[in-house]
DNA sequence: ACCACAGTATGGTCAGACCATATCGAACCA
DNA sequence: TGGTTCGATATGGTCTGACCATACTGTGGT
């Protein structure tokens, strides 16, 4: 097993080099969302690589929610830096769930963790209750499970937003998006949404009152009602 | 604002179509990690698109930690399905942190949330304490801040692993990786690592004893010591 | 049984072309 | 002066075809 001091030649693919240089430029020049990257052809010439390699790097950046490409001409055309971690996270979770690389139970546990945290922090912050109330009344008017889940998602994402942490809010949104299908099933299986709606009201009241502990408790019991089969441990 | 019933023509880029079809195949055929995708040239011919478009789709899948491409010939060559959400998450966080699309504070708060959750669940599960003990003794032998952080990361990731939730463990690993630079700075700024080591021992003891509440408390106080400037709220 | 070597399938890269789109700008008309 | 039209241009999107490096496969010779 001795390699005699030799180590494998680092095989760096061209597009990875391009990625690294773009990332370096972002850090050194302090680029942020809204700034433009050079055009593909120009970047290819400057870096001495083919346009294909630049494009593959762009696809990676785009899939990670860092750039957005616009065709045409003008100030808004070309590769523009964005900050969309949530769409990237959603794709990531959906793909890994589809491949059975992750189990639904793990996603729901993560959601449980985040919602408890977000609810107690939202209660401490005491902001954003208007969006919560709107989502609650939206659920009252829902006629189908899909509609209900739609507003339910809005409610729970509003809690995460109210916590003030964009990363955690992005994770929350991605978890909800990738679980949408299962959430609809769960609501249909439950039949009656009265218990869920009561849980939402309780959470809302706790956040409005600024009671962090009560908010966390309310979230925990709410999720236990929504997914009874997954809380038998 | 009435569009007269017209709606913009859906502009779907070719590689997005390829992505969708690959994802569908993964779901319908029940493909999982280890399975192979068709070769790029074959896929291009079957789908009636150019190899470039297939390659761009591959880059996306690779950046999301879903496939891994190997050159050469044989059973292991080609595009193989993998399940590496953590590397994808690491890249995602690093890029968004570099772009100032996320702030360090948000990452550390997320880490705080996850560690508390993971520690209390690891205590309940009561497994994996061997890896924890190994990391603790590794830190005792560390001579530089980098070495210390290395083992510190191993310790905290081992907690997440012991929780049994791969998604949360992957997020934990990504948070640590993307924070590595700041963690080293924090340790150097602290000067003495005795308090941190004591915190680790306390966490380890709590997990060994199966005391979930004490584990969560120990983690919380440990992080407060490690990043004092960020816990003044 | 072993080994050397040609064959071949794979991803990686490049060059060049063409298309679709969106803006810019100048010429033209009112 | 003001507006409109239409060509020029810059941009990403796609395709084709070629070549390279890599790593297995199989064949043939020893």
């Amino acid at each position: 097993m001795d390699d005699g001091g030799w180590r494998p030649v680092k095989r760096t693919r061209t597009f990875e080099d391009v990625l690294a240089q773009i990332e370096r430029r972002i850090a050194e020049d302090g680029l942020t969302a809204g700034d433009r990257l050079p055009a593909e052809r120009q970047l290819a010439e400057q870096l001495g690589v083919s346009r294909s390699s630049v494009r593959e790097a762009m696809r990676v950046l785009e899939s990670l929610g860092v750039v957005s490409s616009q065709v045409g001409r003008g100030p808004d055309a070309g590769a523009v830096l964005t900050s969309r971690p949530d769409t990237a996270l959603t794709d990531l979770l959906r793909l890994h769930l589809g491949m059975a690389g992750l189990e639904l139970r793990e996603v729901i546990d993560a959601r449980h963790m985040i919602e408890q945290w977000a609810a107690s922090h939202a209660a401490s912050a005491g902001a954003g209750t208007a969006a919560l109330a709107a989502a609650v009344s939206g659920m009252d008017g829902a006629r189908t499970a899909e509609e209900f889940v739609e507003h339910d998602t809005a409610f729970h994402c509003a809690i995460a937003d109210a916590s003030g942490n964009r990363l955690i809010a992005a994770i929350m949104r991605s978890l909800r998006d990738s679980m949408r299908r299962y959430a609809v099933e769960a609501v249909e299986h439950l039949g009656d949404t009265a218990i869920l709606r009561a849980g939402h009201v309780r959470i809302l009241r706790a956040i409005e009152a600024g009671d962090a502990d009560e908010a966390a408790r309310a979230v925990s019991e709410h999720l236990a009602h929504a997914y009874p089969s997954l809380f038998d441990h």
Side-chain angles (χ1 to χ4, degrees), chain A:
Chain A
M1 276 305 170
D2 187 359
D3 60 5
W6 294 90
R7 32 188 66 262
V9 173
K10 179 67 188 308
R11 188 182 68 94
T12 306
R13 293 177 287 185
T14 308
F15 82 90
E16 290 173 323
D17 255 344
V18 176
L19 269 178
Q21 295 217 34
I22 292 176
E23 188 174 348
R24 190 168 58 82
R25 282 293 278 269
I26 290 174
E28 287 182 359
D29 299 359
L31 303 182
T32 62
D35 295 333
R36 269 184 62 178
L37 254 38
E40 290 179 0
R41 291 173 175 84
Q42 184 183 342
L43 212 43
E45 192 185 9
Q46 287 178 352
L47 300 178
V49 300
S50 73
R51 200 180 148 207
S52 320
S53 298
V54 173
R55 280 184 63 79
E56 294 191 12
M58 288 297 181
R59 288 292 86 75
V60 172
L61 292 174
E62 197 176 312
S63 75
L64 293 177
V66 172
V67 310
S68 164
S69 294
Q70 313 287 334
V71 299
R73 181 179 172 166
D76 290 351
V80 179
L81 289 181
T82 61
S83 189
R84 308 193 145 276
D86 48 353
T87 59
L89 276 169
T90 301
D91 291 343
L92 191 152
L93 286 176
R94 193 187 60 248
L95 283 165
H96 282 91
L97 269 174
M99 261 181 40
L102 287 175
E103 290 168 20
L104 187 57
R105 169 61 169 279
E106 295 171 295
V107 175
I108 291 182
D109 279 349
R111 190 189 140 191
H112 189 179
M113 169 185 74
I114 290 180
E115 296 227 32
Q116 274 197 301
W117 185 93
S120 60
H121 279 69
S124 302
T129 52
L132 294 177
V136 166
S137 58
M139 272 178 279
D140 287 338
R143 312 175 65 86
T144 67
E146 280 85 1
E147 274 185 45
F148 184 84
V149 167
E150 196 71 28
H151 290 99
D152 183 68
T153 298
F155 176 78
H156 290 280
C157 288
I159 294 176
D161 289 337
S163 77
N165 187 307
R166 287 170 296 173
L167 173 57
I168 290 176
I171 297 177
M172 179 70 216
R173 210 171 294 278
S174 313
L175 292 175
R176 290 292 311 206
D177 283 346
S178 57
M179 279 182 53
R180 175 179 249 97
R181 195 158 56 95
Y182 310 99
V184 172
E185 281 175 16
V187 168
E188 284 171 345
H189 183 263
L190 216 59
D192 186 18
T193 59
I195 296 179
L196 298 182
R197 284 205 297 266
H200 291 149
V201 171
R202 183 179 161 200
I203 295 170
L204 175 56
R205 291 279 148 68
I207 292 178
E208 284 175 340
D211 188 340
D213 288 340
E214 163 66 5
R217 266 196 310 275
V219 163
S220 188
E221 292 178 19
H222 173 61
L223 289 180
H225 282 127
Y227 302 95
S229 60
L230 291 169
F231 277 82
D232 51 5
H233 54 299

